[in-house]
Amino acid sequence: MAARLVEREDEWETLNDLLGSARRGRGRVAVISGPIAGGKTTLLECFTEQALSDGALVLEAAGSRAERYLPFGILRRILDSAAPLDPAVHAEATALLDGVSAEAEGAQDAAGAVEAGMRVLPHVCASLLRIARGRTVVIAVDDVHHGDELSRAFLLCLARRVRQAGVLIVLTEAVRLLPAQLDFHAELKRQPNCTSIRLPLLSADGTGRLLAGHFSTAAAQRLSADCQEATGGNPLLVKALLEDGLAALGDSEPFQPFVPAETFERAVLDCLHRGDPEMPAVARGVAVLGDACPPALLSRITDVHVKTAELALQDLGRCGILRDGAFREAATRAAVLTATPPGALSALHQRAARLLHQEGAAALDVARHLLAARKPVEGWAIPVLQEAAEYALVEDDPQLALRCGELAVDSCPEGSRRTALKSRLVSIVWRSSPAAAEGHLRQLSREFCAGRLTDRDLLHAVSCLAWMGEARQAAEAVHGLQTAADRARHVGRPFAYESGTLAAAQNWLSLISPPVRDVFTPSGAADTTAPDTTAPDVTRAPADGRAASHDMPDDAHVPAAEAMRTALRGGQGEAAVAEATRVLQRYHLSDRTLTSLVLAVLALVYAGRLDLALTWIDRLLGECATSNAPTWQAVLGAVRAEVALRQGDLPGAAAQARQAMSLISVPCWGVGIALPLGVLIEAETRMGNLEEAMGLLEQPVPETMLETRTGLHYLRARGRCHLATGRYHAALRDFLTCGELMQAWGMEAAEPVPWRLDAAEAWLAIGNVPRAREYVEQQRRRETGPAGSRPRGPVLFALARTSGDLGYRLKRLTEAVEVLEQGEDRLQLARSLGELGSAYRAAGDFNRARMLVRKAWHVAKSCGAQPLCQEFTPGQGDGEPAPVAGREAEPPSEAEVLSEAEARVALLAARGHTNREIATKLYVTVSTVEQHLTRIYRKLQVKRRRDLPARLWDLSLPGIA
């Protein structure tokens, strides 16, 4: 009994005092009120059980909403419970009530029937009071507010007559009463023998006491706060949550808050249906709106009078379901929504969306209701869904944006508006999964063939099709549009697309996949060796004098393509850098500019400005770091990996490439898989992980990948892997294929793939030195880069390797080292230093050979090139015995004449770092580094950095790794 009456001790004592008064012949009336499911019925049941055990006569009845209009409903149930004790009293009272019922049937109005009933009530009261003679009687009526009018009148009549009788009347009622019930309540309270008992909800301590009956004191204290938060102290909800927790735990001790389940959900619905009929409807409205809302809006959504809505909100708050107008627990809201019929729920969401839109609510709030309705929307809602999709992307919720876009497309009738929506939907899907956008993209390709896309959307669709390996199909469609546009201009009719837009699409496709140029150019009509000369240059100045499409703020395709072409022509590095930088400075990263910005960064890479490319790619990666756009991060990460590879950071390149490939699936990469996969294969090969590299070659790739410029990266990486594994002829075939493709595509520069140098290396491995020399000479004659550019160092290195003249080799290798020390290709620098050391060893200069090989080893070590490290192990293979340990342990005398700052610069320079890298590591300017080097050369009596003493390699200074 005590376990059922937590925090009800005072109320229990009051009832027992009233019962004692009744035993002494002083009749009393108790009215118990409290929130819905607040424990009124439980208290009444416990008390009547106790009264029965003490020998009292208990007559029970309960009000029911369904029998509210049944005359004498409660009274008859009281009489029925008394029948076994005194059949005569029961028969007498029943006869009186039957007579009234018969008279009521013949009455002309309801008032007459009530008046007839009132006349017999004193006689019924007298009959019941006869039972109370010599015994104590407890009359218990639960939910008296649901009783009929005549039964309430009987209770009032009886209450006036029990003051001198051994009768205790105990009633339970709701806190909020209907107007028809207020008279009864007020009249009852006026009786001097009436006592009011108000039941509150459980406190946190009370909830803890309830839990302590099932768990240890510590566990109960740990759970009580969360349980109180979820239930508000409503006893019914607390017990339901406890039951769910016990079912989930079994015999184990709880350490986490209880998770509401089926019992809790049923208890929530029970609370709602115990209240007024409008309470479930208002609760549904609150559940649909999600947050606290004004009663006026709730009234309009639920079609309930505003005053009724206010009262229902108060009741829901009193019983602990709501707090500040919103559900305390998500599971409570879910239970209400689940119990709502689907049709009614959909109608509520539709009504909520319209009303919120009229009230000026945020587009995202309106869109969530439109989506929850799961039905096509009306015309006014389509712009709302468009706006909501854009806001969802800003808030990094691409799934919500996708759902908004799909609903807008499904609800919009066929036409240009639907096509624009479909185009935007492709962009949204593309962020997360280009492969998932393929179906939408095919529909979009039919739309742009029909002339329904805008000019901007046309360029975006063409770019996406090229990514998915359908560049030729896109080219054929664009060519068909160009033909139709020419016919339209010939007869003076307007056409769907600007001529500049179609030319831009042609140029873009020709740049990404050069073989598609034959779609636009008849056989023999143009020189296919010239880069992209087949495309008419109409995108810069349209014939009609209007601004070209690429001058629009969000269209970066044309300037990015132009920057790439300039970088690939050779000899125009500065111009390419300027054009690429303008693109990167002008356009912000977005769905439409991603590929254009990537192309601009690659133009910087091909122009030899890895420092600028690294700065921009890191900036772009920073922009999307917090965005839920895995496609963006994957593509930019692949370019970052390419930069790291060209800088000689093999572990970094492999890690970046692997991460990029993990962000989206292989089908999502389309033909773009060539870049990260090629970087990963080459990095693993140069790090000596040949099994890993060979395994990567088994990765399936699109057939059309080798028809793209990025396919050259993969082809070269495959050749490097074959070369490292001794498959020299397979490597040569890949390198020569690169050359054939580049010549067919009119790519004049050595980048992006120096295939002639690679082929020369393959011929050297085969043993055909003359053929190797032939390819190196071809490359030398084509060399147009200025001193210090990336291609010149590898050419000098290759010239030295293919020459049998030792003096010529020393001269060329010395030049190669000087050039590479000013650049950023540390891996090629390591190879050149090692080869120069070997040349000096052949010339008999073992000291210099040892110094250069040691430098080569350190540079190769910093690159992660394990095969080169093994080749350049210090003290081995240089023709001289390793230095004596004691001598090597002596402090290097060269450092004694240098200041600490100069020693730091000298150490980094001796290890092969460039001036820019030294400045970055030491947090000084490049000019400061140059001044230190001038003093270092003078103090150590050397002329250049490669002459720095080998003993500096063993110098250890704080802060220098």
Side-chain angles (χ1 to χ4, degrees), residues 286-287 290-293 298 313 317 321-328:
V286 176
D291 297 322
C293 62
L298 189 61
L313 287 174
I321 290 181
L322 297 185
R323 180 179 57 190
D324 299 329
F327 286 102
R328 286 177 169 271

Side-chain angles (χ1 to χ4, degrees), residues 90-152:
H90 178 266
E92 179 185 351
T94 301
L96 290 172
L97 297 181
D98 291 342
V100 172
S101 298
E103 185 178 347
E105 291 178 1
Q108 298 297 323
D109 55 3
V114 172
E115 183 179 352
M118 292 293 187
R119 287 197 296 268
V120 302
L121 291 181
H123 303 287
V124 176
C125 290
S127 299
L128 281 176
L129 288 175
R130 286 202 301 271
I131 299 177
R133 292 173 184 172
R135 72 180 71 180
T136 302
V137 177
V138 176
I139 299 176
V141 180
D142 194 17
D143 290 338
V144 70
H145 53 282
H146 288 323
D148 60 280
E149 183 180 358
L150 288 173
S151 293
R152 292 198 303 269

Side-chain angles (χ1 to χ4, degrees), residues 424-740:
R424 186 60 184 131
L425 180 61
V426 168
S427 300
I428 294 172
V429 178
W430 199 270
R431 284 192 176 202
S432 302
S433 175
E438 191 170 1
H440 298 295
L441 191 59
R442 294 186 187 281
Q443 297 178 21
L444 202 61
S445 63
R446 293 193 293 269
E447 297 289 345
F448 88 69
C449 289
R452 298 194 185 101
L453 286 180
T454 64
D455 288 55
R456 294 168 179 170
D457 290 341
L458 172 65
L459 289 175
H460 182 60
V462 164
S463 178
C464 292
L465 287 169
W467 174 280
M468 299 307 298
E470 299 186 11
R472 182 164 294 277
Q473 294 89 323
E476 291 171 353
V478 171
H479 182 59
L481 290 172
Q482 287 177 325
T483 303
D486 292 339
R487 295 197 193 100
R489 282 195 301 271
H490 183 71
V491 298
R493 290 199 317 266
F495 193 67
Y497 303 115
E498 298 285 345
S499 59
T501 301
L502 297 176
Q506 171 184 335
N507 290 344
W508 182 266
L509 289 170
S510 300
L511 178 69
I512 300 300
S513 181
V516 306
R517 286 184 298 181
D518 57 12
V519 175
F520 301 102
T521 305
S523 178
D527 181 8
T528 59
T529 62
D532 299 326
T533 56
T534 63
D537 191 15
V538 296
T539 57
R540 301 188 180 190
D544 56 7
R546 289 177 294 177
S549 60
H550 66 272
D551 287 333
M552 295 182 289
D554 63 346
D555 189 358
H557 289 81
V558 173
E562 186 58 34
M564 176 59 77
R565 288 192 194 89
T566 305
L568 293 175
R569 289 192 187 104
Q572 302 184 35
E574 293 183 2
V577 169
E579 293 179 12
T581 303
R582 279 197 296 270
V583 173
L584 292 165
Q585 289 176 342
R586 179 178 179 184
Y587 298 100
H588 179 71
L589 180 62
S590 68
D591 297 298
R592 297 179 185 275
T593 62
L594 173 65
T595 53
S596 299
L597 295 177
V598 166
L599 214 63
V601 175
L602 286 175
L604 293 175
V605 172
Y606 297 157
R609 290 303 305 271
L610 297 182
D611 54 335
L612 277 179
L614 181 62
T615 299
W616 278 108
I617 201 65
D618 285 344
R619 182 180 301 181
L620 293 172
L621 281 169
E623 288 182 21
C624 66
T626 57
S627 300
N628 192 356
T631 301
W632 295 8
Q633 296 165 359
V635 176
L636 295 172
V639 179
R640 179 66 179 83
E642 174 69 17
V643 174
L645 179 66
R646 289 170 179 263
Q647 289 179 324
D649 181 9
L650 301 180
Q656 286 281 350
R658 203 176 294 278
Q659 181 183 10
M661 293 177 64
S662 69
L663 289 173
I664 56 177
S665 64
V666 172
C668 289
W669 276 100
V671 296
I673 190 65
L675 186 58
L677 187 57
V679 170
L680 186 56
I681 291 172
E682 186 168 354
E684 295 289 359
T685 299
R686 292 185 182 274
M687 287 192 295
N689 303 325
L690 299 182
E691 290 187 5
E692 180 72 18
M694 291 297 292
L696 291 169
L697 290 179
E698 301 298 323
Q699 173 73 55
V701 294
E703 294 181 1
T704 56
M705 185 187 72
L706 296 182
E707 297 180 3
T708 65
R709 294 185 191 271
T710 54
L712 297 172
H713 294 265
Y714 174 84
L715 199 57
R716 187 204 184 198
R718 189 174 71 183
R720 300 297 309 182
C721 183
H722 287 157
L723 189 62
T725 55
R727 302 179 64 196
Y728 304 134
H729 288 281
L732 181 62
R733 183 176 65 249
D734 284 338
F735 298 145
L736 295 180
T737 302
C738 285
E740 293 169 2

Side-chain angles (χ1 to χ4, degrees), residues 175-195:
V175 173
R176 182 172 63 82
L177 301 174
L178 297 177
Q181 302 160 354
L182 292 176
D183 290 341
F184 165 75
H185 179 79
E187 186 64 24
L188 195 62
K189 288 303 220 33
R190 286 180 60 244
Q191 303 306 312
N193 60 338
C194 181
T195 300

